[in-house]
Every structure is written in structure tokens, then in C-alpha cells.
Amino acid sequence: SGIGYALAEAFLDEGAKVVIADIEDGALQAAAARLAAKGEVLGVRTDVADPESIEKLAAPTIERFGKVNIVCNNAGVGGFQNFEVTSRKTWEWTLGVDLWGVIDGCRVFLPLLKQQEEAHIVNTASMSGFCYGPFLSPYSVAKAGVVALTESLYREFQYTKNHVGISVLCPAYVATAIADDQRNAPSGVELRKDVDPALQKVRDHVGDMMAQGKTAAEVAAITLDGIRENRLHIFPHQSWLAAVEQRIDNVLAGRPVGDEPAS
């Protein structure tokens, strides 16, 4: 769903053959059926928090299409919750999907990508990978890790495999269903609304902001442009770069991050 579905549509419109993956088999097959009207699509149920599941995604992809040129590590979960009521189980789930899913996606598919004359990886992070707000510790840690991983691999590939491009996608508010992420939470992950009901107004406000944000299709179009131009950083929300600049200014000036300079 969301950005992942929109990316699949955009690639199909460009004539690509597409493999989509999701942890929800019913939603996956329904999406594959809708997308089939645009081109050749394969849906493979995958839990990106499970490295063996990602490895099992590679085999039917090669069996069906023979090669891989572009990999998008896009799955994401995370929401607003006080650190002191965030269990280790929630940390493990969030980092498992948002960070380890990306690491394993790169690790499993890179040997296939490097066999091609042209290849590209897109890792979805967030503006939360650069600017860290309150009540989002697991999500921010994961997304900062995705930015660091991608920047490190970009430099590494320049030395070892410069025919493989890599980008980190860093959106802000996008109209997706990520706020309903806990529908797929594993056993033992407590619902945010139950363990931290005081932040529900914050969640509702952010949900409203997301609904008014860019569409997933807009983000997908920007992402394809970024792949074509081999951009390391893809920022769909250019206005947010001022916040990144302010953060860096605060760090260099020795001010606590988030504090505004005196006027």
C-alpha cells in the first residue's frame, strides 16, 4: 500500500516487470490483481523483519524474471509513544522492519544487482532520519540508521561497484496508512493507544497532517526522477530542508538541537 504501491504503479507505467512484497497476504494478492492491469506483476508474501523471508523473496523473483535491476526497501512502521513506556519488544519490531529490513534487503539483493550493467537500490528513510522530534525514538533511530547505511554504501559502491546506484528516500508527510501500522504488529507489542493514551491527540494531529500531505503517487514520481538522476538523497518535501539546515546550524553553534537562535 502507500508509497510501495505507488512505486509499483510508476515502474509498471515505465514498462518494468514488478515484484511486490507485503506481510499481509490478502492485501498483497489484492494489490497484485489491481496492478496486473498495468503489466506483469508477481506478489510474494514477505516479512522484512525476518531475513530468511527476504532470502525467500529473491528465489521466485529470479525464477520468474531472471534478473533484478531495481530494489526498493520501503516497508515502515512506527508512531508516537513516550520512551519510558516503550517496551523492548516494540523497539525490536520497529528496528526489525525499518532498519534490519533495509539492511537485509541490501544484503540479499546486492549480489543479484551487481550482475547487471545498470542497477539501483532505493532505501526509504524519512525526514525523521535527519530531524529528531519527541516521542519517536525507535522510528528516528531506525531512519537515521537507514540514512547512514545508504550514505556509507554510496561511497563504498564508488570504489567497488560504481554501476550500482543507491538512493535514500526521505519524505515528510505523505497520505499513507502508516498510522495503522500496528495491525501487523507481532505478539507482545502493546498498542500505543493503550500504553500511552495521553499522546492520542498528537497522533490524530499528525494523521491529519499526513492526509493533507503529498500523495504517494507524487512521491513515487519524484523517486523515479531521483533514480534516473542517480541522486543519493531524494527529498520529496523540499521545504523541510530548512529544518535540516537549522539542525546543523544548532549543532555547529553548540546549541541544543531544536533550540532556535536568539533574534
Side-chain angles (χ1 to χ4, degrees):
S1 64
I3 294 173
Y5 186 89
L7 284 169
E9 283 190 305
F11 285 125
L12 287 165
D13 287 341
E14 292 291 327
K17 298 177 177 65
V18 172
V19 179
I20 59 173
D22 197 284
I23 195 171
E24 290 184 87
D25 192 56
L28 171 70
Q29 299 309 325
R34 292 194 304 273
L35 290 167
K38 288 180 171 286
E40 197 168 353
V41 181
L42 172 66
V44 181
R45 186 192 176 278
T46 306
D47 177 1
V48 300
D50 178 0
E52 291 185 1
S53 186
I54 296 178
E55 290 168 359
K56 290 177 181 177
L57 171 63
T61 299
I62 294 300
E63 182 179 348
R64 177 75 169 269
F65 298 120
K67 63 177 182 175
V68 179
N69 292 96
I70 300 174
V71 170
C72 297
N73 295 305
N74 178 75
V77 298
F80 292 86
Q81 191 168 314
N82 273 280
F83 174 81
E84 61 186 306
V85 296
T86 302
S87 68
R88 183 180 177 87
K89 196 77 174 178
T90 296
W91 273 94
E92 290 172 348
W93 174 54
T94 307
L95 269 63
V97 174
D98 292 359
L99 181 55
W100 274 108
V102 176
I103 293 169
D104 286 327
C106 292
R107 181 183 60 80
V108 170
F109 280 94
L110 183 57
L112 303 175
L113 291 167
K114 71 179 186 180
Q115 296 175 19
Q116 310 309 316
E117 291 184 5
E118 290 183 300
H120 205 97
I121 298 170
V122 178
N123 294 330
T124 299
S126 163
M127 292 311 299
S128 291
F130 292 92
C131 303
Y132 316 124
F135 312 120
L136 274 175
S137 295
Y139 185 79
S140 295
V141 168
K143 296 304 184 179
V146 172
V147 172
L149 170 69
T150 309
E151 291 183 359
S152 178
L153 290 180
Y154 178 85
R155 298 188 67 182
E156 182 175 322
F157 290 178
Q158 289 179 315
Y159 293 103
T160 61
K161 49 189 77 62
N162 59 16
H163 66 295
V164 179
I166 189 165
S167 302
V168 59
L169 172 62
C170 302
Y173 294 131
V174 183
T176 72
I178 193 172
D180 190 30
D181 62 330
Q182 288 191 306
R183 69 189 186 280
N184 293 317
S187 175
V189 172
E190 299 173 295
L191 298 180
R192 300 179 196 104
K193 66 180 182 65
D194 295 333
V195 297
D196 204 347
L199 285 180
Q200 192 56 48
K201 287 185 177 179
V202 173
R203 298 185 198 106
D204 292 343
H205 174 69
V206 171
D208 290 342
M209 296 294 289
M210 289 174 62
Q212 299 169 35
K214 287 189 180 296
T215 65
E218 289 176 309
V219 173
I222 292 167
T223 302
L224 263 63
D225 286 342
I227 294 171
R228 292 188 188 99
E229 297 166 9
N230 198 25
R231 293 205 305 267
L232 170 56
H233 300 98
I234 301 175
F235 292 113
H237 299 78
Q238 290 288 310
S239 62
W240 279 64
L241 295 182
V244 177
E245 189 173 23
Q246 183 62 67
R247 178 184 182 276
I248 293 170
D249 287 347
N250 286 342
V251 170
L252 295 178
R255 291 187 295 266
V257 174
D259 285 4
E260 297 299 323
S263 58

